[in-house]
Amino acid sequence: MQDISLIQEDPSIAGIITREAERQENEIELIASENYTSLAVRTALGSILTNKYSEGYPAKRYYGGNAIIDEAEVLAIERAKELFSAEHVNVQALSGSPANAAVYMAFLEPGDKVLGLRLDHGGHLSHGHSVNFSGRLYNFVQYGINPETGVIDMEEVRKIALAEKPKMIVAGFSAYSREIDWAGFKAIADEVGAFTFADIAHIAGLIAGKQIANPVPIFDVVSTTTHKTLRGPRGAIIMCKEKFAKQVDRAVFPGMQGGPHDNVTAAKAVAFGEALKPEFQEYSRQIISNAQALSKALISKGYGVVSGGTDNHLLVLDLSVLNIGGKEAEQVLETVGISVSRSTIPNDPKPPLNPSGIRLGTPAVTTRGMKELEMEKIANFIDRALKGKDDVKVLNEIKTEVKCLCQEFPLSL
Ligand SMILES: *Cc1c(COP(=O)(O)O)cnc(C)c1O
């Protein structure tokens, strides 16, 4: 629902928003990093708090008139502390990548050595890829996942850490479906004297919902986006041990950023409030159960799933059994109204632009109320679309069925 003033003031943008709302309403969203925010989150985001400048931190601002804004930032901090059992939280980071830049700035000098997960094995650009600031400023060495098991081999991580002696070890991923051995990473880091940094951008909601293990009490510093499983506004937070609080805060401001986005900070507080409710634990449990149901249904149709299943909200589907690449699969599924993202599989024989897999995630479909039965239907749609990719009639039929299923689970955007 849109404010009448936007429709009058700017019909072009108002029209785009209406059409995008229809797309979100009528299509199945399986992109593992996406979700639907609540109206309460969006109300805070679209509020007059966007008018304020607040460089600095609560009670230590470089601008006047911040007494009320301070209350919003303090609420966001207090709720995040409770949600993740964190000693210190910075809620000003603008997004996941800038949050990670601030973490590196807080703990490292340019050129320092860092150990992180390879992008093509499920890591993130900001964990040392050569085209990203992280790979250009710091000396990243990488660990991968075992191509046989699809799982991170902790012995291998330890071997690389002992040989390379990194100053920091990064654990975290964008496309990995197994639980991470936080204590194992911490033990290796202690052995080589490295800082521990967890990037829980993808799984923060599942941790907040108490469905998977929390690295915050174990690691030195943890970053997360707030817009993925956590179902908040686009943005990020950084959590750390109290002894690192000053250096983390200074890296965010004035190190990386100027003024915080106070409307986003308030929306983060709203999302954390939602995640603190008992219903959020049930929501997180259902996300995982749905991902497992989707994985099982696709395996039963003969597809490969990297690591053979999932412990979290996502799975990487190996399409090698069909004669179709990840890019084409992404496009075919888009024509029937199913959004997915192409993904590499470990030791992918195909190039990154058209890799052998697609990544599927269940946070968004779970938000709209879908359960295991719907996951079986979705697995059917995917299978029929990929096999019938050249048959326009089949694709049109599936598109209609996708829309029908979505209408059974309205978002009421
Ligand atoms: C999504 C993601 C980020 C980046 O977040 P942006 O908000 O897109 O900058 C960082 N790290 C991991 C592991 C992610 O999955």
Side-chain angles (χ1 to χ4, degrees):
M1 285 297 284
Q2 285 183 45
D3 190 291
I4 191 78
S5 66
L6 180 63
I7 299 169
Q8 284 166 351
E9 194 67 40
D10 194 331
S12 308
I13 285 293
I16 289 168
I17 295 173
T18 303
R19 282 188 291 122
E20 173 62 10
E22 278 166 17
R23 188 194 70 81
Q24 291 186 13
E25 194 71 59
N26 293 320
E27 296 192 358
I28 293 174
E29 184 53 72
L30 293 179
I31 292 179
S33 50
E34 292 191 18
N35 213 329
Y36 308 109
T37 47
S38 69
L39 183 58
V41 165
R42 283 179 278 129
T43 303
L45 260 185
S47 73
I48 47 79
L49 298 183
T50 194
N51 298 340
K52 192 71 197 93
Y53 239 114
S54 315
E55 280 186 0
Y57 290 99
K60 286 170 286 191
R61 305 287 188 185
Y62 291 81
Y63 286 76
N66 272 303
I68 301 169
I69 291 291
D70 279 5
E71 289 181 37
E73 186 164 335
V74 168
L75 254 188
I77 292 169
E78 292 306 321
R79 288 178 183 172
K81 277 186 178 174
E82 188 183 344
L83 205 50
F84 293 101
S85 306
E87 290 181 16
H88 177 79
V89 184
N90 184 304
V91 296
Q92 294 190 4
L94 300 177
S95 216
S97 296
N100 290 352
V103 168
Y104 299 140
M105 188 184 273
F107 288 85
L108 307 170
E109 296 299 326
D112 277 349
K113 194 178 274 186
V114 190
L115 178 58
L117 177 62
R118 282 170 58 169
L119 177 70
D120 60 348
H121 283 208
H124 188 259
L125 278 171
S126 63
H127 298 179
H129 196 274
S130 60
V131 299
N132 184 261
F133 77 91
S134 54
R136 298 189 58 171
L137 286 180
Y138 304 99
N139 176 17
F140 267 83
V141 286
Q142 319 239 252
Y143 58 91
I145 65 183
N146 180 319
E148 300 298 314
T149 60
V151 175
I152 295 170
D153 176 350
M154 295 306 286
E155 250 328 294
E156 182 72 20
V157 175
R158 181 167 176 270
K159 259 192 225 149
I160 301 173
L162 287 172
E164 297 282 355
K165 299 256 179 309
K167 192 166 171 189
M168 172 181 269
I169 298 181
V170 189
F173 55 81
S174 297
Y176 182 69
S177 44
R178 293 304 179 180
E179 282 231 39
I180 295 217
D181 177 6
W182 304 117
F185 271 102
K186 171 69 175 156
I188 293 168
D190 284 348
E191 221 179 317
V192 300
F195 292 117
T196 43
F197 168 28
D199 178 350
I200 58 170
H202 261 264
I203 48 175
L206 307 178
I207 293 169
K210 306 201 184 319
Q211 301 303 310
I212 61 176
N214 181 10
V216 175
I218 304 173
F219 272 44
D220 295 320
V221 61
V222 177
S223 73
T224 181
T225 56
T226 46
H227 50 274
K228 299 181 184 175
T229 47
L230 205 46
R231 218 164 67 189
R234 307 202 82 76
I237 61 172
I238 303 172
M239 298 170 271
C240 65
K241 296 278 176 253
E242 191 59 47
K243 65 179 169 186
F244 301 120
K246 269 215 172 87
Q247 72 200 63
V248 165
D249 283 349
R250 249 189 263 129
V252 174
F253 171 84
M256 276 291 300
Q257 301 176 185
H261 295 184
D262 295 318
N263 56 322
V264 181
T265 304
K268 288 174 187 172
V270 174
F272 301 154
E274 291 175 352
L276 281 166
K277 292 187 182 148
E279 302 92 277
F280 199 83
Q281 295 183 22
E282 174 50 27
Y283 167 64
S284 311
R285 194 201 57 74
Q286 189 67 53
I287 291 176
I288 297 174
S289 185
N290 282 351
Q292 290 170 341
L294 186 60
S295 166
K296 220 172 115 198
L298 286 161
I299 289 171
S300 77
K301 293 180 190 307
Y303 293 88
V305 168
V306 174
S307 88
T310 179
D311 300 329
N312 59 27
H313 63 299
L314 70 82
L315 56 119
V316 177
L317 194 66
D318 182 344
L319 300 169
S320 312
V321 287
L322 296 182
N323 191 20
I324 187 170
K327 182 182 169 195
E328 196 189 352
E330 182 188 297
Q331 287 162 351
V332 168
L333 292 171
E334 185 167 347
T335 63
V336 300
I338 299 177
S339 296
V340 306
S341 40
R342 70 193 77 168
S343 178
T344 48
I345 59 170
N347 294 354
D348 205 320
K350 293 190 166 174
L353 271 177
N354 187 22
S356 302
I358 49 174
R359 187 187 65 169
L360 309 175
T362 53
V365 289
T366 307
T367 298
R368 60 193 306 166
M370 293 185 185
K371 297 214 162 75
E372 292 81 355
L373 186 66
E374 286 72 41
M375 299 307 112
E376 285 174 31
K377 292 186 183 170
I378 292 173
N380 253 317
F381 295 153
I382 293 173
D383 182 48
R384 280 163 55 210
L386 295 181
K387 288 177 180 157
K389 67 184 168 63
D390 300 315
D391 189 334
V392 180
K393 191 165 158 275
V394 169
L395 296 180
N396 277 336
E397 268 168 30
I398 301 169
K399 192 180 166 103
T400 306
E401 290 174 56
V402 163
K403 195 170 170 181
C404 276
L405 181 62
C406 287
Q407 287 174 349
E408 278 179 54
F409 296 89
L411 283 166
S412 307
L413 293 171

